[in-house]
Amino acid sequence: MQFRGLITSINNEAFQMFLKYKAEVENQLNKKIKRVRSDRGGEYITFNDYSEKEGIIHELTPPYSPESNGVAERKNITLKEVMNCMLISSNAHENLWGEAILSACHLQNRIPYKKTGKTPYELWKGYSPNLKYLKVWGCLAKVMLPYSKKRIISSKTYDYMFIGYVEHSIAYRFLVLRSDILEKNTIVETKNAEFFEHVFPLKTNLLLHAPTIQTGYDHNELRRSKRPRTEKSFGSNFYTYVVENDLVTFTDAISSHDVPFWKEAIKTKLDSILQNKTWELVDLPTGAKHIGCKKMELYQLIM
């Protein structure tokens, strides 16, 4: 019976992850786990025999009282909310929730606590994390094909979607969106990529999210402008043009070659403000002087 119980514990995923974490704590921090708290779920009951043998106190919360393990419960809620925001903001399918929640956990470990001002990463490693490599989840990435996959006459990069970070590596994880070499919807890991963090490939209104980056799948229909642009070609079907100098004033925008698009964008924004009732029109009190409102002036100009 004891042997059968041991086999059951070994096959338990939660128990296996605990053993992995325990080994990492002892090896990396040179410390011992003295106390573990969990609810009364069946996946944790198997800890009892092992914890008694190792001298680890296994605390159980009272039945139907998740608040007794509040730290873990709150963290689970935070991770799920961040994961949900990632999926919605990038328009990703819900089957990517696992990749999103791993990325959310990766970010949470690099956010400082209010009380200590230190991140969990710093408390674990002993030094501050480098955050320069972080990217916007779900954004477009142009990934270089490995040498073995390249062809003499073919595109050298393809459209991928950034979905996370590789554990214990400087590589990123990507979802293949368009490729005639790699199978679509497969996941690859590499560091040879160029990120477009304001472009979300699973959304249709790309221009609304990146006003300074104009993208088009037909280079014959790209808008013309006198402003200097840096052209980057990623094959015959995808071009990006990065604007070097943004327009500063309304006069600049209204006199440019892109004036129809600027008018449409301004009108959409102002209509949204009016629809949300950001302000109310009231009579001016006697003796008072009105304060100019640039948004209303712009609205009148473009109407």
Side-chain angles (χ1 to χ4, degrees), residues 14 18 35-48 51 56-70 72-73:
F18 171 74
R35 193 180 302 267
V36 175
R37 175 179 293 182
S38 70
D39 58 27
R40 295 174 180 267
E43 65 272 25
Y44 301 119
I45 298 299
T46 55
F47 286 18
N48 290 337
S51 60
I56 300 174
I57 298 176
H58 183 199
E59 297 180 349
L60 296 174
T61 61
Y64 307 105
S65 58
E67 66 277 3
S68 299
N69 203 9
E73 295 294 336

Side-chain angles (χ1 to χ4, degrees), residues 224-241:
R224 301 295 180 183
S225 175
K226 294 181 178 180
R227 289 175 284 160
R229 302 167 186 260
T230 301
E231 178 181 349
K232 296 182 180 180
S233 175
F234 298 99
S236 59
N237 296 323
F238 193 97
Y239 289 79
T240 65
Y241 292 80

Side-chain angles (χ1 to χ4, degrees), residues 104-128:
C105 184
H106 187 89
L107 296 176
Q108 285 289 313
N109 286 332
R110 286 152 181 81
I111 297 177
Y113 285 126
K114 292 182 178 180
K115 293 183 179 180
T116 63
K118 295 183 178 181
T119 65
Y121 181 97
E122 185 175 357
L123 295 174
W124 180 275
K125 296 282 189 178
Y127 54 87
S128 301

Side-chain angles (χ1 to χ4, degrees), residues 7-210:
I7 293 299
T8 302
S9 298
I10 293 176
N11 292 332
N12 186 276
E13 183 178 1
F15 183 71
Q16 285 296 311
M17 294 306 297
F18 171 74
L19 293 180
K20 178 181 177 181
Y21 175 73
K22 178 177 178 293
E24 186 174 358
V25 169
E26 294 175 351
N27 188 46
Q28 299 296 326
L29 303 181
N30 196 25
K31 294 183 178 180
K32 294 287 188 178
I33 296 177
K34 298 180 180 180
R35 193 180 302 267
V36 175
R37 175 179 293 182
S38 70
D39 58 27
R40 295 174 180 267
E43 65 272 25
Y44 301 119
I45 298 299
T46 55
F47 286 18
N48 290 337
D49 295 339
Y50 179 81
S51 60
E52 289 180 1
K53 178 182 177 181
E54 294 293 322
I56 300 174
I57 298 176
H58 183 199
E59 297 180 349
L60 296 174
T61 61
Y64 307 105
S65 58
E67 66 277 3
S68 299
N69 203 9
V71 175
E73 295 294 336
R74 287 193 299 271
K75 185 58 64 176
N76 285 338
I77 293 175
T78 299
L79 290 175
K80 287 189 291 185
E81 288 179 347
V82 174
M83 172 267 293
N84 195 40
C85 291
M86 286 178 169
L87 295 178
I88 293 175
S89 63
S90 63
N91 203 30
H93 194 274
E94 60 183 14
N95 62 5
L96 289 174
W97 73 267
E99 298 292 337
I101 208 165
L102 287 175
S103 297
C105 184
H106 187 89
L107 296 176
Q108 285 289 313
N109 286 332
R110 286 152 181 81
I111 297 177
Y113 285 126
K114 292 182 178 180
K115 293 183 179 180
T116 63
K118 295 183 178 181
T119 65
Y121 181 97
E122 185 175 357
L123 295 174
W124 180 275
K125 296 282 189 178
Y127 54 87
S128 301
N130 178 14
L131 305 179
K132 293 182 179 180
Y133 68 94
L134 296 179
K135 305 297 179 182
V136 178
W137 198 89
C139 72
L140 175 68
K142 292 294 179 176
V143 178
M144 184 73 67
L145 286 175
Y147 183 80
S148 59
K149 296 289 185 179
K150 291 182 180 179
R151 300 175 181 174
I152 297 177
I153 304 177
S154 178
S155 176
K156 301 301 185 291
T157 62
Y158 286 97
D159 294 349
Y160 287 43
M161 173 182 169
F162 167 63
I163 59 172
Y165 309 89
V166 181
E167 187 177 8
H168 307 310
S169 174
I170 61 173
Y172 299 96
R173 289 171 63 81
F174 300 96
L175 181 70
V176 179
L177 298 178
R178 183 181 64 84
S179 175
D180 55 2
I181 297 178
L182 301 177
E183 185 177 353
K184 185 179 179 181
N185 292 332
T186 57
I187 295 176
V188 298
E189 297 179 352
T190 181
K191 68 181 183 68
N192 298 321
E194 184 172 358
F195 294 86
F196 296 81
E197 297 184 82
H198 298 289
V199 182
F200 297 92
L202 298 184
K203 286 191 171 183
T204 56
N205 53 342
L206 299 182
L207 291 177
L208 296 180
H209 296 274

